[in-house]
Amino acid sequence: MADVKVTVVPGPLLQLGEGPHWDVDSQSLYYVCILSSTLHRYDWRESKTYSASIEGSTYASFVIPVKGHPGQFVVGSGTQLLVVTWDGRAPVAKVKQVLADLGTDAADHRFNDGKADAQGRLYAGTMLAEDSRNHFEMDDGKLYRFDAPRGQMVPLKSKVHISNGLTWSARTGRFYFIDSFAFDVKEYAVDADGNLGAETVLIRLKDDEAATEFIADGMTSDAEGDLYVAVFAGSKIIKINPETSQVVQEIPLPVAQVTSVAFGGPNLDVLFATTASKELSVAQGPPAGALLQITGLNTRGTPMHEVVLPDAS
């Protein structure tokens, strides 16, 4: 840990930063502020962050490039999946297409975390929106897979409190998922069609009597298949070995609310962390809400996957 260094990336302080995605082609980290419905792009070469609002959008939960179509992104916005166009510099991003809508039955929900697998299939989950019923007590969310050829959301898991971190491990070949208020990381086999097999708990992050120190949020994995989990309200990232189900490293950060993580940089050896500043006192101010970068971890990630949309144009 002596060589690990945490620095603040130039850019805005966000209420609820989330959804980091490293784009190899542009050498940029894309991420969002959920509550302000804004997109952000940290340009590695320029060491500068560009920001844009999304016209007509209330929330922006994740941003993932569309494969083969530079400047197009899939964004989770409320109950909708949108295709958004943005050149990475303009102050406004435009909605090109609504890919799917969860409909009136989910009107008080919103998408939260989302990520594409190696086949370009989008997995995304929901939770009750901030202006809905008491979303911290309601297990009314779901985890979905987007069936791009049919334009349909396929439910994979129900009774989810806050659908959050998603990743795949190169070591185990399995899919990992976080429901933040289940206080654990779950593991699944995935079949050829992208459906989930039997659910097992990889690791419990607290027992029923413990304080809520480990509120797991976003998640990624490195090239060796270890998992990295952002700990909301815990001021840290934890590294988990999925074979032993053990926490093998804790990375302390100078902010309370760590929301998500992604590997990036020219050599994919920088771990980026998004953070939040919502509901914090003035004494817990900057760098809360900043994008952080962590170096010196002696590991690297793998290129993140783009969403495949057969009819994108």
mmCIF file of all heavy atoms in Angstrom, residues 120-166:
data_model
loop_
_atom_site.group_PDB
_atom_site.id
_atom_site.type_symbol
_atom_site.label_atom_id
_atom_site.label_comp_id
_atom_site.label_asym_id
_atom_site.label_seq_id
_atom_site.Cartn_x
_atom_site.Cartn_y
_atom_site.Cartn_z
ATOM 1 N N GLY A 120 -21.521 -7.620 -25.790
ATOM 2 C CA GLY A 120 -22.193 -6.351 -26.034
ATOM 3 C C GLY A 120 -23.620 -6.312 -25.552
ATOM 4 O O GLY A 120 -24.383 -5.416 -25.923
ATOM 5 N N ARG A 121 -23.987 -7.265 -24.677
ATOM 6 C CA ARG A 121 -25.336 -7.276 -24.100
ATOM 7 C C ARG A 121 -25.361 -6.376 -22.872
ATOM 8 O O ARG A 121 -24.491 -6.459 -22.016
ATOM 9 C CB ARG A 121 -25.741 -8.699 -23.712
ATOM 10 C CG ARG A 121 -25.798 -9.646 -24.904
ATOM 11 C CD ARG A 121 -26.108 -11.063 -24.494
ATOM 12 N NE ARG A 121 -25.076 -11.658 -23.664
ATOM 13 C CZ ARG A 121 -24.764 -12.965 -23.659
ATOM 14 N NH1 ARG A 121 -25.427 -13.800 -24.448
ATOM 15 N NH2 ARG A 121 -23.825 -13.424 -22.860
ATOM 16 N N LEU A 122 -26.384 -5.543 -22.790
ATOM 17 C CA LEU A 122 -26.509 -4.608 -21.674
ATOM 18 C C LEU A 122 -27.264 -5.254 -20.526
ATOM 19 O O LEU A 122 -28.355 -5.798 -20.709
ATOM 20 C CB LEU A 122 -27.256 -3.344 -22.122
ATOM 21 C CG LEU A 122 -27.576 -2.343 -21.004
ATOM 22 C CD1 LEU A 122 -26.313 -1.725 -20.439
ATOM 23 C CD2 LEU A 122 -28.524 -1.264 -21.512
ATOM 24 N N TYR A 123 -26.677 -5.176 -19.330
ATOM 25 C CA TYR A 123 -27.344 -5.559 -18.081
ATOM 26 C C TYR A 123 -27.551 -4.281 -17.285
ATOM 27 O O TYR A 123 -26.616 -3.486 -17.121
ATOM 28 C CB TYR A 123 -26.484 -6.536 -17.277
ATOM 29 C CG TYR A 123 -26.359 -7.904 -17.915
ATOM 30 C CD1 TYR A 123 -25.566 -8.104 -19.034
ATOM 31 C CD2 TYR A 123 -27.032 -9.006 -17.387
ATOM 32 C CE1 TYR A 123 -25.448 -9.357 -19.623
ATOM 33 C CE2 TYR A 123 -26.915 -10.269 -17.956
ATOM 34 C CZ TYR A 123 -26.125 -10.427 -19.085
ATOM 35 O OH TYR A 123 -26.014 -11.670 -19.671
ATOM 36 N N ALA A 124 -28.757 -4.078 -16.771
ATOM 37 C CA ALA A 124 -29.053 -2.857 -16.026
ATOM 38 C C ALA A 124 -30.144 -3.144 -15.010
ATOM 39 O O ALA A 124 -31.040 -3.956 -15.258
ATOM 40 C CB ALA A 124 -29.489 -1.736 -16.971
ATOM 41 N N GLY A 125 -30.047 -2.464 -13.874
ATOM 42 C CA GLY A 125 -31.009 -2.693 -12.807
ATOM 43 C C GLY A 125 -31.689 -1.413 -12.369
ATOM 44 O O GLY A 125 -31.273 -0.300 -12.720
ATOM 45 N N THR A 126 -32.741 -1.585 -11.569
ATOM 46 C CA THR A 126 -33.545 -0.441 -11.138
ATOM 47 C C THR A 126 -33.657 -0.363 -9.625
ATOM 48 O O THR A 126 -33.294 -1.291 -8.891
ATOM 49 C CB THR A 126 -34.966 -0.526 -11.724
ATOM 50 O OG1 THR A 126 -35.615 -1.714 -11.234
ATOM 51 C CG2 THR A 126 -34.931 -0.548 -13.239
ATOM 52 N N MET A 127 -34.207 0.746 -9.189
ATOM 53 C CA MET A 127 -34.524 1.007 -7.791
ATOM 54 C C MET A 127 -35.667 2.018 -7.776
ATOM 55 O O MET A 127 -35.980 2.634 -8.789
ATOM 56 C CB MET A 127 -33.306 1.584 -7.061
ATOM 57 C CG MET A 127 -32.784 2.873 -7.675
ATOM 58 S SD MET A 127 -31.381 3.597 -6.826
ATOM 59 C CE MET A 127 -32.228 4.432 -5.484
ATOM 60 N N LEU A 128 -36.286 2.194 -6.619
ATOM 61 C CA LEU A 128 -37.267 3.261 -6.500
ATOM 62 C C LEU A 128 -36.551 4.610 -6.571
ATOM 63 O O LEU A 128 -35.491 4.792 -5.981
ATOM 64 C CB LEU A 128 -38.031 3.142 -5.181
ATOM 65 C CG LEU A 128 -39.115 2.054 -5.159
ATOM 66 C CD1 LEU A 128 -39.633 1.850 -3.739
ATOM 67 C CD2 LEU A 128 -40.271 2.425 -6.082
ATOM 68 N N ALA A 129 -37.122 5.530 -7.315
ATOM 69 C CA ALA A 129 -36.504 6.840 -7.497
ATOM 70 C C ALA A 129 -36.547 7.648 -6.211
ATOM 71 O O ALA A 129 -37.360 7.399 -5.314
ATOM 72 C CB ALA A 129 -37.219 7.596 -8.623
ATOM 73 N N GLU A 130 -35.662 8.641 -6.144
ATOM 74 C CA GLU A 130 -35.524 9.438 -4.926
ATOM 75 C C GLU A 130 -36.814 10.143 -4.523
ATOM 76 O O GLU A 130 -37.047 10.388 -3.335
ATOM 77 C CB GLU A 130 -34.403 10.472 -5.107
ATOM 78 C CG GLU A 130 -33.005 9.933 -4.896
ATOM 79 C CD GLU A 130 -32.498 9.085 -6.045
ATOM 80 O OE1 GLU A 130 -33.207 8.913 -7.055
ATOM 81 O OE2 GLU A 130 -31.377 8.563 -5.945
ATOM 82 N N ASP A 131 -37.633 10.507 -5.485
ATOM 83 C CA ASP A 131 -38.868 11.222 -5.157
ATOM 84 C C ASP A 131 -40.068 10.282 -5.040
ATOM 85 O O ASP A 131 -41.210 10.711 -5.055
ATOM 86 C CB ASP A 131 -39.157 12.301 -6.205
ATOM 87 C CG ASP A 131 -39.239 11.730 -7.613
ATOM 88 O OD1 ASP A 131 -39.020 10.511 -7.777
ATOM 89 O OD2 ASP A 131 -39.520 12.507 -8.541
ATOM 90 N N SER A 132 -39.802 8.980 -4.889
ATOM 91 C CA SER A 132 -40.878 8.003 -4.752
ATOM 92 C C SER A 132 -41.091 7.650 -3.288
ATOM 93 O O SER A 132 -40.685 8.382 -2.395
ATOM 94 C CB SER A 132 -40.544 6.749 -5.555
ATOM 95 O OG SER A 132 -40.340 7.074 -6.909
ATOM 96 N N ARG A 133 -41.686 6.487 -3.068
ATOM 97 C CA ARG A 133 -41.856 6.000 -1.702
ATOM 98 C C ARG A 133 -40.483 5.829 -1.042
ATOM 99 O O ARG A 133 -39.463 6.112 -1.651
ATOM 100 C CB ARG A 133 -42.594 4.656 -1.735
ATOM 101 C CG ARG A 133 -44.024 4.756 -2.227
ATOM 102 C CD ARG A 133 -44.540 3.388 -2.626
ATOM 103 N NE ARG A 133 -43.976 2.958 -3.893
ATOM 104 C CZ ARG A 133 -44.028 1.704 -4.330
ATOM 105 N NH1 ARG A 133 -44.568 0.759 -3.599
ATOM 106 N NH2 ARG A 133 -43.519 1.390 -5.503
ATOM 107 N N ASN A 134 -40.456 5.350 0.197
ATOM 108 C CA ASN A 134 -39.190 5.212 0.906
ATOM 109 C C ASN A 134 -38.338 4.137 0.242
ATOM 110 O O ASN A 134 -38.419 2.965 0.550
ATOM 111 C CB ASN A 134 -39.436 4.849 2.374
ATOM 112 C CG ASN A 134 -38.150 4.942 3.189
ATOM 113 O OD1 ASN A 134 -37.054 4.987 2.622
ATOM 114 N ND2 ASN A 134 -38.276 4.980 4.492
ATOM 115 N N HIS A 135 -37.508 4.575 -0.727
ATOM 116 C CA HIS A 135 -36.777 3.617 -1.546
ATOM 117 C C HIS A 135 -35.696 2.868 -0.777
ATOM 118 O O HIS A 135 -35.204 1.854 -1.246
ATOM 119 C CB HIS A 135 -36.165 4.310 -2.764
ATOM 120 C CG HIS A 135 -35.201 5.401 -2.440
ATOM 121 N ND1 HIS A 135 -35.605 6.610 -1.925
ATOM 122 C CD2 HIS A 135 -33.867 5.470 -2.564
ATOM 123 C CE1 HIS A 135 -34.555 7.378 -1.759
ATOM 124 N NE2 HIS A 135 -33.479 6.718 -2.130
ATOM 125 N N PHE A 136 -35.331 3.347 0.403
ATOM 126 C CA PHE A 136 -34.326 2.631 1.180
ATOM 127 C C PHE A 136 -34.931 1.449 1.952
ATOM 128 O O PHE A 136 -34.209 0.710 2.605
ATOM 129 C CB PHE A 136 -33.629 3.576 2.148
ATOM 130 C CG PHE A 136 -32.723 4.546 1.442
ATOM 131 C CD1 PHE A 136 -32.974 5.897 1.487
ATOM 132 C CD2 PHE A 136 -31.633 4.097 0.722
ATOM 133 C CE1 PHE A 136 -32.153 6.793 0.829
ATOM 134 C CE2 PHE A 136 -30.799 4.979 0.058
ATOM 135 C CZ PHE A 136 -31.059 6.333 0.110
ATOM 136 N N GLU A 137 -36.243 1.293 1.892
ATOM 137 C CA GLU A 137 -36.878 0.172 2.582
ATOM 138 C C GLU A 137 -37.645 -0.735 1.635
ATOM 139 O O GLU A 137 -38.213 -1.742 2.061
ATOM 140 C CB GLU A 137 -37.837 0.701 3.665
ATOM 141 C CG GLU A 137 -37.133 1.455 4.787
ATOM 142 C CD GLU A 137 -38.107 1.971 5.830
ATOM 143 O OE1 GLU A 137 -39.324 1.780 5.658
ATOM 144 O OE2 GLU A 137 -37.629 2.561 6.817
ATOM 145 N N MET A 138 -37.659 -0.412 0.357
ATOM 146 C CA MET A 138 -38.480 -1.148 -0.586
ATOM 147 C C MET A 138 -37.629 -2.020 -1.502
ATOM 148 O O MET A 138 -36.743 -1.531 -2.193
ATOM 149 C CB MET A 138 -39.300 -0.172 -1.436
ATOM 150 C CG MET A 138 -40.253 0.700 -0.644
ATOM 151 S SD MET A 138 -41.596 -0.227 0.124
ATOM 152 C CE MET A 138 -42.482 -0.732 -1.352
ATOM 153 N N ASP A 139 -37.883 -3.334 -1.500
ATOM 154 C CA ASP A 139 -37.162 -4.232 -2.408
ATOM 155 C C ASP A 139 -38.004 -4.445 -3.662
ATOM 156 O O ASP A 139 -38.435 -5.538 -3.988
ATOM 157 C CB ASP A 139 -36.831 -5.556 -1.727
ATOM 158 C CG ASP A 139 -38.062 -6.291 -1.218
ATOM 159 O OD1 ASP A 139 -39.138 -5.658 -1.134
ATOM 160 O OD2 ASP A 139 -37.946 -7.493 -0.917
ATOM 161 N N ASP A 140 -38.198 -3.337 -4.391
ATOM 162 C CA ASP A 140 -39.117 -3.320 -5.527
ATOM 163 C C ASP A 140 -38.389 -3.189 -6.858
ATOM 164 O O ASP A 140 -39.018 -3.042 -7.902
ATOM 165 C CB ASP A 140 -40.113 -2.166 -5.352
ATOM 166 C CG ASP A 140 -41.400 -2.388 -6.110
ATOM 167 O OD1 ASP A 140 -41.780 -3.555 -6.315
ATOM 168 O OD2 ASP A 140 -42.023 -1.399 -6.513
ATOM 169 N N GLY A 141 -37.052 -3.204 -6.823
ATOM 170 C CA GLY A 141 -36.289 -3.077 -8.053
ATOM 171 C C GLY A 141 -36.073 -4.406 -8.742
ATOM 172 O O GLY A 141 -36.377 -5.481 -8.198
ATOM 173 N N LYS A 142 -35.507 -4.340 -9.950
ATOM 174 C CA LYS A 142 -35.216 -5.544 -10.723
ATOM 175 C C LYS A 142 -33.877 -5.403 -11.436
ATOM 176 O O LYS A 142 -33.388 -4.288 -11.646
ATOM 177 C CB LYS A 142 -36.316 -5.797 -11.766
ATOM 178 C CG LYS A 142 -37.667 -6.170 -11.184
ATOM 179 C CD LYS A 142 -38.684 -6.438 -12.279
ATOM 180 C CE LYS A 142 -40.034 -6.821 -11.687
ATOM 181 N NZ LYS A 142 -41.052 -7.070 -12.740
ATOM 182 N N LEU A 143 -33.314 -6.541 -11.805
ATOM 183 C CA LEU A 143 -32.156 -6.585 -12.688
ATOM 184 C C LEU A 143 -32.635 -7.103 -14.032
ATOM 185 O O LEU A 143 -33.360 -8.108 -14.090
ATOM 186 C CB LEU A 143 -31.068 -7.491 -12.120
ATOM 187 C CG LEU A 143 -29.855 -7.733 -13.034
ATOM 188 C CD1 LEU A 143 -29.068 -6.444 -13.239
ATOM 189 C CD2 LEU A 143 -28.953 -8.823 -12.457
ATOM 190 N N TYR A 144 -32.223 -6.425 -15.112
ATOM 191 C CA TYR A 144 -32.668 -6.771 -16.460
ATOM 192 C C TYR A 144 -31.472 -7.024 -17.381
ATOM 193 O O TYR A 144 -30.371 -6.542 -17.149
ATOM 194 C CB TYR A 144 -33.462 -5.623 -17.088
ATOM 195 C CG TYR A 144 -34.737 -5.233 -16.412
ATOM 196 C CD1 TYR A 144 -34.742 -4.270 -15.390
ATOM 197 C CD2 TYR A 144 -35.960 -5.757 -16.821
ATOM 198 C CE1 TYR A 144 -35.929 -3.871 -14.786
ATOM 199 C CE2 TYR A 144 -37.155 -5.367 -16.222
ATOM 200 C CZ TYR A 144 -37.137 -4.425 -15.210
ATOM 201 O OH TYR A 144 -38.312 -4.028 -14.613
ATOM 202 N N ARG A 145 -31.767 -7.750 -18.456
ATOM 203 C CA ARG A 145 -30.888 -7.799 -19.624
ATOM 204 C C ARG A 145 -31.660 -7.212 -20.797
ATOM 205 O O ARG A 145 -32.829 -7.545 -20.996
ATOM 206 C CB ARG A 145 -30.474 -9.237 -19.936
ATOM 207 C CG ARG A 145 -29.696 -9.395 -21.249
ATOM 208 C CD ARG A 145 -29.205 -10.824 -21.455
ATOM 209 N NE ARG A 145 -30.267 -11.805 -21.340
ATOM 210 C CZ ARG A 145 -31.144 -12.095 -22.317
ATOM 211 N NH1 ARG A 145 -31.103 -11.433 -23.460
ATOM 212 N NH2 ARG A 145 -32.067 -13.018 -22.131
ATOM 213 N N PHE A 146 -31.008 -6.332 -21.561
ATOM 214 C CA PHE A 146 -31.677 -5.738 -22.717
ATOM 215 C C PHE A 146 -31.500 -6.654 -23.912
ATOM 216 O O PHE A 146 -30.380 -6.948 -24.342
ATOM 217 C CB PHE A 146 -31.098 -4.356 -23.015
ATOM 218 C CG PHE A 146 -31.702 -3.698 -24.222
ATOM 219 C CD1 PHE A 146 -33.070 -3.497 -24.314
ATOM 220 C CD2 PHE A 146 -30.901 -3.277 -25.273
ATOM 221 C CE1 PHE A 146 -33.639 -2.898 -25.426
ATOM 222 C CE2 PHE A 146 -31.444 -2.659 -26.379
ATOM 223 C CZ PHE A 146 -32.816 -2.473 -26.463
ATOM 224 N N ASP A 147 -32.621 -7.131 -24.455
ATOM 225 C CA ASP A 147 -32.635 -7.942 -25.667
ATOM 226 C C ASP A 147 -32.680 -6.975 -26.853
ATOM 227 O O ASP A 147 -33.741 -6.518 -27.262
ATOM 228 C CB ASP A 147 -33.858 -8.867 -25.659
ATOM 229 C CG ASP A 147 -33.881 -9.829 -26.831
ATOM 230 O OD1 ASP A 147 -33.283 -9.511 -27.882
ATOM 231 O OD2 ASP A 147 -34.501 -10.907 -26.709
ATOM 232 N N ALA A 148 -31.498 -6.652 -27.393
ATOM 233 C CA ALA A 148 -31.413 -5.613 -28.415
ATOM 234 C C ALA A 148 -32.197 -5.940 -29.686
ATOM 235 O O ALA A 148 -32.886 -5.059 -30.224
ATOM 236 C CB ALA A 148 -29.955 -5.321 -28.745
ATOM 237 N N PRO A 149 -32.135 -7.176 -30.220
ATOM 238 C CA PRO A 149 -32.898 -7.449 -31.452
ATOM 239 C C PRO A 149 -34.398 -7.230 -31.293
ATOM 240 O O PRO A 149 -35.077 -6.828 -32.243
ATOM 241 C CB PRO A 149 -32.575 -8.919 -31.739
ATOM 242 C CG PRO A 149 -31.239 -9.139 -31.107
ATOM 243 C CD PRO A 149 -31.283 -8.313 -29.852
ATOM 244 N N ARG A 150 -34.940 -7.496 -30.107
ATOM 245 C CA ARG A 150 -36.374 -7.335 -29.876
ATOM 246 C C ARG A 150 -36.726 -6.004 -29.215
ATOM 247 O O ARG A 150 -37.899 -5.657 -29.098
ATOM 248 C CB ARG A 150 -36.896 -8.484 -29.009
ATOM 249 C CG ARG A 150 -36.807 -9.841 -29.684
ATOM 250 C CD ARG A 150 -37.274 -10.957 -28.753
ATOM 251 N NE ARG A 150 -37.259 -12.250 -29.410
ATOM 252 C CZ ARG A 150 -36.191 -13.020 -29.526
ATOM 253 N NH1 ARG A 150 -35.026 -12.601 -29.038
ATOM 254 N NH2 ARG A 150 -36.254 -14.176 -30.137
ATOM 255 N N GLY A 151 -35.721 -5.279 -28.750
ATOM 256 C CA GLY A 151 -35.979 -4.015 -28.083
ATOM 257 C C GLY A 151 -36.720 -4.174 -26.773
ATOM 258 O O GLY A 151 -37.515 -3.315 -26.392
ATOM 259 N N GLN A 152 -36.441 -5.261 -26.048
ATOM 260 C CA GLN A 152 -37.174 -5.564 -24.825
ATOM 261 C C GLN A 152 -36.236 -5.741 -23.640
ATOM 262 O O GLN A 152 -35.114 -6.228 -23.789
ATOM 263 C CB GLN A 152 -37.990 -6.850 -24.998
ATOM 264 C CG GLN A 152 -39.072 -6.771 -26.058
ATOM 265 C CD GLN A 152 -39.780 -8.092 -26.266
ATOM 266 O OE1 GLN A 152 -39.326 -9.143 -25.815
ATOM 267 N NE2 GLN A 152 -40.913 -8.048 -26.950
ATOM 268 N N MET A 153 -36.721 -5.350 -22.459
ATOM 269 C CA MET A 153 -36.006 -5.597 -21.222
ATOM 270 C C MET A 153 -36.435 -6.956 -20.672
ATOM 271 O O MET A 153 -37.630 -7.200 -20.462
ATOM 272 C CB MET A 153 -36.308 -4.505 -20.195
ATOM 273 C CG MET A 153 -35.959 -3.092 -20.646
ATOM 274 S SD MET A 153 -34.207 -2.854 -21.061
ATOM 275 C CE MET A 153 -33.404 -3.237 -19.505
ATOM 276 N N VAL A 154 -35.490 -7.849 -20.456
ATOM 277 C CA VAL A 154 -35.769 -9.192 -19.957
ATOM 278 C C VAL A 154 -35.452 -9.233 -18.464
ATOM 279 O O VAL A 154 -34.289 -9.081 -18.071
ATOM 280 C CB VAL A 154 -34.913 -10.245 -20.697
ATOM 281 C CG1 VAL A 154 -35.187 -11.652 -20.141
ATOM 282 C CG2 VAL A 154 -35.179 -10.189 -22.193
ATOM 283 N N PRO A 155 -36.453 -9.425 -17.595
ATOM 284 C CA PRO A 155 -36.174 -9.484 -16.151
ATOM 285 C C PRO A 155 -35.346 -10.716 -15.799
ATOM 286 O O PRO A 155 -35.658 -11.829 -16.220
ATOM 287 C CB PRO A 155 -37.566 -9.561 -15.517
ATOM 288 C CG PRO A 155 -38.518 -9.129 -16.589
ATOM 289 C CD PRO A 155 -37.894 -9.545 -17.880
ATOM 290 N N LEU A 156 -34.294 -10.511 -15.024
ATOM 291 C CA LEU A 156 -33.433 -11.600 -14.566
ATOM 292 C C LEU A 156 -33.560 -11.849 -13.073
ATOM 293 O O LEU A 156 -33.354 -12.969 -12.615
ATOM 294 C CB LEU A 156 -31.970 -11.290 -14.893
ATOM 295 C CG LEU A 156 -31.620 -11.066 -16.357
ATOM 296 C CD1 LEU A 156 -30.147 -10.693 -16.479
ATOM 297 C CD2 LEU A 156 -31.928 -12.305 -17.192
ATOM 298 N N LYS A 157 -33.861 -10.796 -12.316
ATOM 299 C CA LYS A 157 -33.933 -10.914 -10.863
ATOM 300 C C LYS A 157 -34.890 -9.855 -10.334
ATOM 301 O O LYS A 157 -34.848 -8.706 -10.774
ATOM 302 C CB LYS A 157 -32.546 -10.734 -10.241
ATOM 303 C CG LYS A 157 -32.513 -10.790 -8.710
ATOM 304 C CD LYS A 157 -31.095 -10.672 -8.182
ATOM 305 C CE LYS A 157 -31.072 -10.530 -6.668
ATOM 306 N NZ LYS A 157 -31.735 -11.647 -5.980
ATOM 307 N N SER A 158 -35.744 -10.242 -9.389
ATOM 308 C CA SER A 158 -36.682 -9.303 -8.783
ATOM 309 C C SER A 158 -36.386 -9.152 -7.297
ATOM 310 O O SER A 158 -35.417 -9.720 -6.784
ATOM 311 C CB SER A 158 -38.125 -9.781 -8.992
ATOM 312 O OG SER A 158 -38.307 -11.060 -8.426
ATOM 313 N N LYS A 159 -37.206 -8.354 -6.612
ATOM 314 C CA LYS A 159 -37.057 -8.095 -5.178
ATOM 315 C C LYS A 159 -35.660 -7.554 -4.856
ATOM 316 O O LYS A 159 -34.954 -8.014 -3.962
ATOM 317 C CB LYS A 159 -37.373 -9.340 -4.349
ATOM 318 C CG LYS A 159 -38.827 -9.784 -4.477
ATOM 319 C CD LYS A 159 -39.174 -10.873 -3.491
ATOM 320 C CE LYS A 159 -39.248 -10.324 -2.057
ATOM 321 N NZ LYS A 159 -40.334 -9.338 -1.900
ATOM 322 N N VAL A 160 -35.266 -6.549 -5.621
ATOM 323 C CA VAL A 160 -33.977 -5.882 -5.440
ATOM 324 C C VAL A 160 -34.212 -4.528 -4.791
ATOM 325 O O VAL A 160 -35.099 -3.775 -5.210
ATOM 326 C CB VAL A 160 -33.265 -5.709 -6.798
ATOM 327 C CG1 VAL A 160 -31.985 -4.892 -6.630
ATOM 328 C CG2 VAL A 160 -32.975 -7.066 -7.426
ATOM 329 N N HIS A 161 -33.439 -4.202 -3.772
ATOM 330 C CA HIS A 161 -33.558 -2.897 -3.119
ATOM 331 C C HIS A 161 -32.936 -1.802 -3.999
ATOM 332 O O HIS A 161 -33.622 -0.916 -4.468
ATOM 333 C CB HIS A 161 -32.862 -2.903 -1.759
ATOM 334 C CG HIS A 161 -33.512 -3.775 -0.743
ATOM 335 N ND1 HIS A 161 -33.300 -5.139 -0.678
ATOM 336 C CD2 HIS A 161 -34.377 -3.496 0.248
ATOM 337 C CE1 HIS A 161 -34.010 -5.645 0.310
ATOM 338 N NE2 HIS A 161 -34.669 -4.665 0.893
ATOM 339 N N ILE A 162 -31.618 -1.859 -4.170
ATOM 340 C CA ILE A 162 -30.894 -0.892 -4.988
ATOM 341 C C ILE A 162 -29.964 -1.684 -5.897
ATOM 342 O O ILE A 162 -28.901 -2.150 -5.470
ATOM 343 C CB ILE A 162 -30.099 0.115 -4.139
ATOM 344 C CG1 ILE A 162 -31.038 0.906 -3.228
ATOM 345 C CG2 ILE A 162 -29.320 1.064 -5.037
ATOM 346 C CD1 ILE A 162 -30.334 1.907 -2.330
ATOM 347 N N SER A 163 -30.373 -1.846 -7.144
ATOM 348 C CA SER A 163 -29.556 -2.602 -8.096
ATOM 349 C C SER A 163 -28.286 -1.821 -8.378
ATOM 350 O O SER A 163 -28.334 -0.672 -8.793
ATOM 351 C CB SER A 163 -30.353 -2.827 -9.383
ATOM 352 O OG SER A 163 -29.657 -3.682 -10.255
ATOM 353 N N ASN A 164 -27.150 -2.486 -8.152
ATOM 354 C CA ASN A 164 -25.900 -1.743 -8.229
ATOM 355 C C ASN A 164 -24.820 -2.516 -8.972
ATOM 356 O O ASN A 164 -25.077 -3.011 -10.054
ATOM 357 C CB ASN A 164 -25.462 -1.317 -6.817
ATOM 358 C CG ASN A 164 -25.297 0.185 -6.710
ATOM 359 O OD1 ASN A 164 -24.751 0.825 -7.602
ATOM 360 N ND2 ASN A 164 -25.782 0.768 -5.635
ATOM 361 N N GLY A 165 -23.605 -2.625 -8.397
ATOM 362 C CA GLY A 165 -22.439 -3.088 -9.119
ATOM 363 C C GLY A 165 -22.630 -4.366 -9.918
ATOM 364 O O GLY A 165 -23.260 -5.317 -9.467
ATOM 365 N N LEU A 166 -22.030 -4.364 -11.132
ATOM 366 C CA LEU A 166 -22.057 -5.528 -12.006
ATOM 367 C C LEU A 166 -20.659 -5.726 -12.575
ATOM 368 O O LEU A 166 -20.009 -4.762 -12.991
ATOM 369 C CB LEU A 166 -23.018 -5.341 -13.182
ATOM 370 C CG LEU A 166 -24.416 -4.787 -12.949
ATOM 371 C CD1 LEU A 166 -24.430 -3.267 -13.099
ATOM 372 C CD2 LEU A 166 -25.402 -5.392 -13.937
#
